[in-house]
Amino acid sequence: METDLSSLKKTARLVGLLYLIWIITGVYGLFYVPSQINTRGDAVTTAQNILSNEFLFRTGIINDIISNALWVFLALVLYRLFKQVNERQAKLMVALVIVQIPAVYIMGAFNITSLIIFKGQILKTFELSQRQDLAMLFLKINDYGVLILEMFWGLWLFPLAILIYRSRFLPRFLGVWLVITGFFYVVLSFTSLLLPQYKDMVLNSVLALPAEIGEVALMLWLLIKGAKVREPEARPSQVS
């Protein structure tokens, strides 16, 4: 029993560590790199930013590859942690992660293609403005790919939330928190695709920040607290 509990705690700590690294790569790829390069609605400036920050742009592509490889390992370790709680939900969680990976790598191919076009290494017979428009098209496809993937960023959290809620080694409030986070991502994805004029309203809503840090809360709990098996509630003794 002690061996099982020790293994559970080690697995939980490993999940927390992988989660931390994965979140760092996500912040770098989704926020830092675009903030240094993308200029909304200005193809010329975006092209200049990419060419003048080519190494940074390439690190963003490599970062996405590493980040998604980490996500697969994270999902598998989470499966190991929760398979005794409910194996069906654990498998569903892994499946909702795995299904996203090919799309991310295709989006990475679009990014590197846009860079090559901006540098004029291909389509040399095209005019500069035409090459810039085509390269921006590939970048725009990548942006819309992210909007679609946001739905799956939310969906995979639902089985994870159920597993956390049903487990006896993590607090239930984390499961409830992840449900809120999952709904936030799903709503954000559908709003961005169906009613893009209301996207900023969702991002700036009161629930946005609490929802966005739901996974951070889980990561910190796993790293700091780990897993702790709760004792079953004592039943009141019956008076004979």
Side-chain angles (χ1 to χ4, degrees), residues 22-147:
W22 180 61
I23 288 174
I24 292 173
T25 60
V27 171
Y28 183 82
L30 291 173
F31 297 101
Y32 179 72
V33 174
S35 71
Q36 301 300 308
I37 290 175
N38 292 348
T39 303
R40 183 178 298 181
D42 191 338
V44 175
T45 304
T46 299
Q48 292 173 347
N49 290 341
I50 290 176
L51 293 175
S52 60
N53 297 280
E54 180 179 345
F55 181 76
L56 177 65
F57 187 75
R58 289 180 181 272
T59 62
I61 297 172
I62 296 297
N63 176 81
D64 289 343
I65 295 173
I66 295 173
S67 180
N68 283 276
L70 277 171
W71 199 8
V72 173
F73 286 116
L74 173 61
L76 292 175
V77 179
L78 281 168
Y79 173 81
R80 177 183 172 188
L81 182 66
F82 288 111
K83 66 179 180 179
Q84 299 302 325
V85 178
N86 189 307
E87 189 171 5
R88 181 181 299 178
Q89 293 293 336
K91 287 181 177 179
L92 177 60
M93 173 192 65
V94 174
L96 288 170
V97 171
I98 298 298
V99 74
Q100 303 179 54
I101 305 305
V104 175
Y105 290 135
I106 291 172
M107 289 159 57
F110 284 151
N111 281 337
I112 197 67
T113 301
S114 66
L115 173 62
I116 294 172
I117 294 174
F118 278 134
K119 295 182 69 175
Q121 295 178 351
I122 58 175
L123 304 177
K124 296 180 180 180
T125 59
F126 284 43
E127 295 181 2
L128 177 60
S129 60
Q130 292 176 321
R131 291 203 306 269
Q132 289 177 342
D133 287 341
L134 187 57
M136 287 299 297
L137 173 62
F138 283 115
L139 292 177
K140 202 65 180 176
I141 291 173
N142 180 77
D143 290 342
Y144 277 104
V146 170
L147 297 182

Side-chain angles (χ1 to χ4, degrees), residues 156-194:
W156 90 284
L157 294 177
F158 293 137
L160 177 57
I162 292 172
L163 291 166
I164 291 173
Y165 192 84
R166 291 180 178 177
S167 72
R168 301 196 62 82
F169 48 84
L170 289 175
R172 288 183 168 181
F173 81 85
L174 288 174
V176 176
W177 201 340
L178 286 189
V179 169
I180 296 172
T181 301
F183 272 116
F184 172 77
Y185 281 126
V186 171
V187 170
L188 179 61
S189 176
F190 277 103
T191 302
S192 301
L193 294 171
L194 291 175

